[in-house]
Amino acid sequence: MTALTLSTAAASGLRADAIVIGVAKGAKGPVVAPGAEAVDKAYDGRLAAVLETLGASGAEGEVTKLPAPAGFKAPLVIAVGLGAEPEKDETYDAETLRRAAGVAARTLTGSKKAAFALPIADAADAGAVAEGVLLGAYSFDVYKQNGKDPKAKNGKAPLAEAALLGGKPRDAAFKGALARATAVAEELNRARDLINTPPNDLTPEAFAAIAQAAAKEHGIKVQVLDEKALTKGGYGGILGVGGGSAATPRLVKLSYTSSKAKKHLAFVGKGITYDSGGISLKPAGHNETMKCDMSGAAAVFAAVVAAARLGLNVNVTGWLALAENMPSGSAVRPGDVLRMYSGKTVEVLNTDAEGRLVLGDALWAASEEKPDAIIDVATLTGAMMLALGSRTFGVMANDDAFRAAVHEAAEEVGEPAWPMPLPEHLRKGMDSQVADIANMGERMGGGLVAGLFLKEFVGEGIPWAHLDIAGPAFNEGGPFGYTPKGGTGTAVRTLVRVAELAAAGDLG
């Protein structure tokens, strides 16, 4: 993990591999952003003109490299595009700074130290830049031959150190912002590691062991139900999905408690460590990345640990519903009926609609504790990807005010989300002749149908939100901003922000 420091040093005198500055897209060409005044002065006030000559426009994510001016100890200046210049009297928003810092951190792979002279007006800005650096510097190389040796011929280590110029090392607010950014980013990157881990190594049992180790480290109470305990407890959904695999299922409960807490939140994560589709086998081309089907559980796990590290004054319980969905002689079949933990029976029409089955059991278990609110996170439906694309997740809820609060929290931390309805007329499509409900309904609006199914397993009177992160959970394209290729850790920051709001008494 990249080391972060706050620095009041002058850019010219700092020993580093590079100085990172911001450049915006102005009405008449590129505009040098605040924070880079010393660099601009060293270019006799002509830095914007030099950048324009080199082809820079200030467009978001654009990177322009140029030699540092005479007298600077750093040999290189890296100008990162911030996008449109803010209106008069406005400043750059946190997400703009976060993305720019992420782009720079990726560009600086292999470097020992960089000075970030981005627009930092206050502690919140410093936190955004810090978060962007830590998320942008992420890499997953443990399975590569040179991955464990950053000095190997073909390997490059992430940026080792980042100094945030304009930060105040002795200011409590700045130090707090840096500490928060570090805790959240480290746990989010832990979620990314889990998502990127091959399914032959990340079985439900292995995931549960990782959660147990982290819980012990951070003072979190943990309970793991194995297949025997699940059978005894009647968790038919989790057992049904996991029945086709030699890797047996688990239900993990993580409990972070605060003596000052006035609210209790429950987070529930879908943890399908590999999804073949089961008997309803996925076609070729649709299963190569299905190790990411546990992204919801990874997000919940990371958020609970982050809440503990931050010492938030709220009780947070995380439920990880872990199973591997495989076809075999013992696998659940289309037409089978499962008795869920709630007692409700489900006719399985499609074994590839398995996430809602494991979540149904976990949601009911979470509801039994009567928390103040429940949020589940799942890579649940391809339909949500068709609706919202690959970078936005859908937010459904049984309470409009709670849905709005969760959506606002997501947007606040820079995770694109969109509120979605739960139309009651779609519920009829899941009526079954042999069971209380079927696990499939109308094809159109499939993401909403899945949400309606989950709603059936939420306790009466408990505000609940469902985050369908199928689109942004795994990036199959190239990296952008602070988002890498592969597992993204989406929803971690939303959950942490919701927990912070609940701790402050500001959630809804």
Side-chain angles (χ1 to χ4, degrees), residues 111-411:
S111 300
K112 291 183 178 179
K113 183 175 181 178
F116 283 72
L118 293 171
I120 296 178
D122 54 26
D125 288 345
V129 172
E131 201 172 87
V133 169
L134 295 176
L135 297 179
Y138 173 82
S139 66
F140 185 75
D141 300 317
V142 295
Y143 287 87
K144 294 183 178 180
Q145 188 172 6
N146 296 323
K148 295 182 180 179
D149 182 7
K151 295 181 181 179
K153 184 178 179 180
N154 298 320
K156 283 188 176 182
L159 173 64
E161 183 181 349
L164 277 54
L165 304 187
K168 300 177 181 179
R170 298 182 180 181
D171 185 279
F174 276 82
K175 290 193 291 185
L178 212 65
R180 181 192 182 279
T182 299
V184 173
E186 284 183 351
E187 295 312 319
L188 192 152
N189 283 339
R190 192 207 297 258
R192 288 173 170 177
D193 283 348
L194 287 166
I195 297 164
N196 289 325
T197 300
N200 57 320
D201 282 346
L202 191 73
T203 61
E205 183 179 7
F207 196 154
I210 291 169
Q212 285 177 304
K216 183 178 180 181
E217 179 183 357
H218 296 289
I220 300 168
K221 186 178 178 181
V222 62
Q223 179 185 9
V224 177
L225 300 185
D226 62 12
E227 66 275 23
K228 292 181 180 179
L230 291 169
T231 300
K232 184 178 180 180
Y235 292 85
I238 296 174
L239 288 166
V241 173
S245 174
T248 53
R250 298 286 187 274
L251 177 61
V252 179
K253 177 185 176 183
L254 297 164
S255 303
Y256 162 68
T257 58
S258 167
S259 60
K260 298 180 181 179
K262 295 182 179 179
K263 296 290 184 180
H264 175 203
L265 299 177
F267 297 154
V268 179
K270 173 187 173 184
I272 304 299
T273 57
Y274 182 74
D275 182 18
S276 70
I279 298 297
S280 305
L281 193 67
K282 293 178 184 291
H286 289 76
N287 49 19
E288 289 79 0
T289 60
M290 281 299 102
K291 64 181 181 180
C292 78
D293 214 18
M294 37 59 67
S295 296
V300 166
F301 168 50
V304 175
V305 176
R309 289 182 60 175
L310 295 171
L312 300 183
N313 295 330
V314 60
N315 293 337
V316 182
T317 305
W319 299 83
L320 317 181
L322 309 176
E324 185 176 59
N325 188 24
M326 296 290 283
S328 74
S330 59
V332 66
R333 296 154 293 218
D336 281 355
V337 173
L338 302 177
R339 186 172 295 279
M340 304 287 283
Y341 178 61
S342 68
K344 195 183 294 287
T345 55
V346 178
E347 182 183 11
V348 179
L349 299 181
N350 187 325
T351 65
D352 195 23
E354 85 298 331
R356 62 199 71 180
L357 298 174
V358 300
L359 285 173
D361 276 354
L363 282 168
W364 193 257
S367 296
E368 286 184 326
E369 296 192 338
K370 301 190 183 305
D372 293 290
I374 299 174
I375 300 177
D376 78 71
V377 188
T379 47
L380 207 60
T381 66
M384 197 55 55
M385 297 177 68
L386 292 174
L388 298 178
S390 62
R391 297 191 184 185
T392 305
F393 63 77
V395 183
M396 287 157 260
N398 61 0
D399 181 278
D400 289 347
F402 187 54
R403 180 183 61 197
V406 173
H407 176 224
E408 288 171 11
E411 294 291 338

Side-chain angles (χ1 to χ4, degrees), residues 415-485:
E415 293 192 322
W418 196 252
M420 303 291 282
L422 287 175
E424 284 299 327
H425 71 273
L426 292 176
R427 169 61 182 84
K428 184 172 178 57
M430 289 184 285
D431 286 348
S432 166
Q433 291 185 346
V434 297
D436 295 318
I437 190 172
N439 78 328
M440 292 292 288
E442 293 184 29
R443 179 172 174 269
M444 299 301 177
L448 312 183
V449 171
L452 285 166
F453 180 93
L454 297 180
K455 183 181 176 183
E456 298 273 329
F457 298 91
V458 177
E460 188 71 27
I462 303 174
W464 155 79
H466 161 54
L467 313 185
D468 191 335
I469 61 170
F474 197 84
N475 176 28
E476 295 188 59
F480 59 92
Y482 50 82
T483 302
K485 186 178 177 69

